[in-house]
Amino acid sequence: MAVLGNAVVALLARAAGASDDFDPLHLSAYAPLTVFGVVLGAIGWAVVRRVAKNPAGLLRWLVPVLVVVSFVPDLSLLGGGTPGSGPLAVAALMVMHVVVAAVAGVAYRRVLPLPVR
């Protein structure tokens, strides 16, 4: 579902004028990275749920912080030498990070429910 959500974001961004030269908005670039992000997130979620005294409380602030930190490489593309890396394309890439976090968070809550402690 995260790959599908990112496909919609990429299509909308290109329809709105993002350059087709911006490789991160191509399925071949974002699909494997989306899967990698979901798997890495699941590992992190599982670790937090196992070791934290209050996993829900920790994840409530940790997930948004990690999403914001994930914007740093995206923002570094602005004004750089990456073809097509205009503000719209970079904003779409940032939205894709939010999509992955949202879809993955829902899936993790179902598959790896947080214990009540």
Side-chain angles (χ1 to χ4, degrees):
M1 292 303 282
V3 173
L4 178 61
N6 281 346
V8 170
V9 171
L11 288 171
L12 290 173
R14 285 199 299 274
S19 174
D20 198 43
D21 293 336
F22 190 59
D23 286 338
L25 293 182
H26 290 264
L27 180 66
S28 60
Y30 65 76
L33 291 172
T34 298
V35 171
F36 177 73
V38 169
V39 170
L40 192 61
I43 292 168
W45 185 281
V47 168
V48 167
R49 98 189 252 268
R50 175 167 290 159
V51 301
K53 290 181 182 177
N54 179 7
L58 177 58
L59 288 166
R60 193 171 298 115
W61 69 264
L62 183 61
V63 171
V65 166
L66 291 175
V67 171
V68 170
V69 168
S70 78
F71 295 161
V72 172
D74 300 344
L75 291 170
S76 73
L77 295 172
L78 286 172
T82 304
S85 61
L88 179 59
V90 171
L93 195 55
M94 294 166 72
V95 169
M96 292 168 105
H97 289 215
V98 174
V99 167
V100 172
V103 170
V106 170
Y108 302 155
R109 284 191 178 276
R110 288 187 183 153
V111 177
L112 298 167
L114 299 175
V116 178
R117 294 185 185 157

